[in-house]
Amino acid sequence: MPEAVESTDHPPHRPSRQVDAVLFDFHGTLAQVEDPIQWVQAAAVACGHELDRGKATMLADRLVMAGRAGGPLPARVPPQLAEHWADRDLYAHSHRAAFTGLAATVATEVEGLAEALYERLLGPEGWLPYADTEPTLRTLHGAGIKVAVVSNIGFDIRPHFDAWGLHSMIDAYALSYELGRTKPDPAIFLRACGMLGVDPERTLMVGDTPADAGAVKAGCAALVLPASEPGRPNGLTAALTLAGCGA
C-alpha cells in the first residue's frame, strides 16, 4: 500500500469580510439636491407661475445664499429664526420653519414660493441619487452586509428611497428628528448599530462631513468622501473596498 501523502495544495486565500454593516449619510453621500435653477422653476410652477431661466437664476442665487436645505449654510440667520435653526434637525416643525423662513427673506413676485420650495425638498423629485449609489447598495445587500442611513434631517426620507427603488436595500434609518440625537453625537451611531444588531467595531460609517467622522467615538471606522455634483459618481466604491466586497 502506498503511503498517504499530505497534499501541499491549498485553496486560494479569500480575505474574510471586514465589516458586518455600513452606515451611510444621506445628503452629499447617497444623494444630492437638484440643480438650484430647476428647484426654483419647479416650485414656481407649483405656485402657478413660469419663470424664465434668467429670472430663475437670479432668484436661485439669492435663495441659496439665504440658506437652502441641502445647500451651503447661510451666512446669517435672522434672530427670529435662531431657535428654529438650532433645532432644525431635531424637530420637523423647526426644520420647516427655519428653511421656509430663510427663503421668505428673499423678495419674489411668486406668492407661496417659500413653501413650494420646501415642499420640493420633501419629495424624491427634488433630489438625485449619485450614479454609484444603487450599485454600491446592491453589492452590499448581495454580500449580506447590513446597511443603515444615518442623517441629520428634519423630515422622512424613506419615500425617497422607495421611489428610487432602493428601499429594499436599506435595513434601518437613523434619522435625527426621530431619535433626538444629531451627528457627531456618538449616540446616533450607536443607535444605528443597535437597529442593525451589529457591533460598532464591525461597522463602517460613510459620509461627507466631519460630523460623520463622529462615528469613530462610537467605535466605528469612518470614511469621509467629498460630495460630488448631482448625478455623478461619488467615490462610493471605496466603501466597498473597505467593507471587503470590492471588485
Side-chain angles (χ1 to χ4, degrees):
M1 292 288 291
E3 293 183 3
V5 178
E6 183 177 352
S7 172
T8 58
D9 294 331
H10 298 282
H13 175 67
R14 295 182 180 177
S16 61
R17 196 171 70 192
Q18 298 175 38
V19 302
D20 295 325
V22 180
L23 314 178
F24 287 99
D25 171 52
F26 175 57
H27 169 242
T29 301
L30 295 178
Q32 186 59 274
V33 284
E34 65 184 326
D35 173 78
I37 299 172
Q38 180 180 336
W39 171 57
V40 171
Q41 287 181 315
V45 168
C47 296
H49 290 260
E50 289 192 12
L51 297 177
D52 61 46
R53 188 169 182 83
K55 178 72 170 179
T57 300
M58 180 186 67
L59 281 178
D61 288 344
R62 293 177 179 176
L63 287 161
V64 169
M65 287 292 293
R68 175 192 186 188
L73 296 177
R76 176 183 176 274
V77 175
Q80 69 272 20
L81 297 176
E83 185 174 351
H84 285 307
W85 178 257
D87 291 342
R88 68 192 184 282
D89 292 328
L90 293 174
Y91 306 105
H93 72 275
S94 285
H95 195 274
R96 177 182 287 273
F99 286 107
T100 56
L102 289 171
T105 65
V106 177
T108 75
E109 299 174 357
V110 182
E111 185 177 353
L113 184 64
E115 287 289 340
L117 289 167
Y118 188 79
E119 289 297 325
R120 184 81 181 168
L121 181 78
L122 301 183
E125 64 278 358
W127 296 78
L128 192 63
Y130 284 114
D132 48 357
T133 293
E134 189 275 341
T136 296
L137 295 178
R138 188 170 297 283
T139 298
L140 292 170
H141 184 72
I145 296 175
K146 294 183 178 181
V147 171
V149 177
V150 183
S151 180
N152 286 354
I153 203 159
F155 59 92
D156 190 6
I157 53 176
R158 294 175 184 84
H160 296 58
F161 286 86
D162 190 42
W164 298 332
L166 304 176
H167 185 64
S168 64
M169 304 175 208
I170 308 297
D171 298 290
Y173 295 84
L175 309 181
S176 61
Y177 84 104
E178 293 180 338
L179 301 182
R181 293 288 188 274
T182 58
K183 298 178 288 186
D185 186 339
I188 193 169
F189 305 107
L190 291 172
R191 183 67 181 275
C193 291
M195 290 176 173
L196 297 176
V198 297
D199 186 333
E201 293 185 358
R202 297 276 300 173
T203 301
L204 171 67
M205 173 67 201
V206 182
D208 69 310
T209 70
D212 297 306
V216 172
K217 291 186 177 180
C220 306
L223 172 64
V224 178
L225 301 166
S228 298
E229 294 299 313
R232 299 179 63 85
N234 199 32
L236 295 176
T237 52
L240 295 179
T241 300
L242 291 175
C245 58

